[in-house]
Amino acid sequence: MGSVEKPSRRTFSADYKLKIVKEMQLCKSGEFGALLRREGLYKSQVYQWRKAHSESGLQGLTNNKRGPARTKDQKRIESLEKEIDRLRGDVDKFQKLSELAGNALALYEIISSSAESRNDS
C-alpha cells in the first residue's frame, strides 16, 4: 500500500487576496458565485479579506496569525498579569500620595509651631 499524503492548507499571497477583493467589487449580480467557484474559495474567506483590506489596507491582507490558540489558562494568566500591573500602578500612586500627605503634615506642624511661638511673644 502506498502512503497517503496529508493535504496541506492553502496559503494566499497578499497580492492574490487584493486581486480577488478587487474582482469581487467589480462583480455584477450572479458573477460573485462564479468567481468563488473558479478560484475554489469560500465566501467567508473573501469577506474576511475585504474587511481586513478596508481596515488596514494591504498590510491587513498580509497579517496572518498562525499557531495554537490560547487556552483558557493562558488567557486567565494574561488577564491576571494585566491586573497585577494595574495594581502596581495604584500602589505607586498611593505611596506618592502618602508621602505628599506626610510632607503636608510636616509643613502644617512647622507653621503651627511658628504661629504658637509668635503668639507666646
Side-chain angles (χ1 to χ4, degrees):
M1 281 173 51
S3 68
V4 178
E5 281 190 36
K6 180 179 177 183
S8 62
R9 179 182 292 258
R10 290 173 58 189
T11 57
F12 305 98
S13 70
D15 291 333
Y16 175 79
K17 292 176 185 179
L18 182 60
K19 176 186 148 230
I20 296 298
V21 167
K22 286 182 178 181
E23 280 186 44
M24 177 188 134
Q25 292 170 342
L26 297 174
C27 285
K28 293 182 175 63
S29 178
E31 294 178 349
F32 182 55
L35 170 67
L36 295 175
R37 286 188 296 279
R38 183 185 78 222
E39 299 295 328
L41 300 170
Y42 293 99
K43 179 170 54 172
S44 60
Q45 277 178 308
V46 179
Y47 286 158
Q48 286 174 343
W49 296 347
R50 181 179 66 179
K51 181 180 178 191
H53 181 259
S54 68
E55 290 175 354
S56 305
L58 190 60
Q59 179 63 33
L61 298 176
T62 60
N63 187 11
N64 289 328
K65 293 185 179 180
R66 293 282 181 192
R70 295 181 307 165
T71 64
K72 285 184 180 180
D73 289 342
Q74 289 169 329
K75 291 177 184 177
R76 180 76 175 139
I77 288 169
E78 289 173 9
S79 171
L80 291 172
E81 286 174 343
K82 286 180 184 176
E83 181 71 8
I84 288 170
D85 288 342
R86 186 188 65 77
L87 292 172
R88 282 187 178 141
D90 288 350
V91 167
D92 289 342
K93 288 177 192 174
F94 287 122
Q95 285 175 337
K96 289 176 183 174
L97 286 172
S98 176
E99 183 180 328
L100 183 62
N103 290 343
L105 180 61
L107 182 60
Y108 175 76
E109 289 173 351
I110 291 170
I111 292 171
S112 294
S113 65
S114 172
E116 285 178 9
S117 66
R118 284 190 204 149
N119 290 339
D120 290 341
S121 314

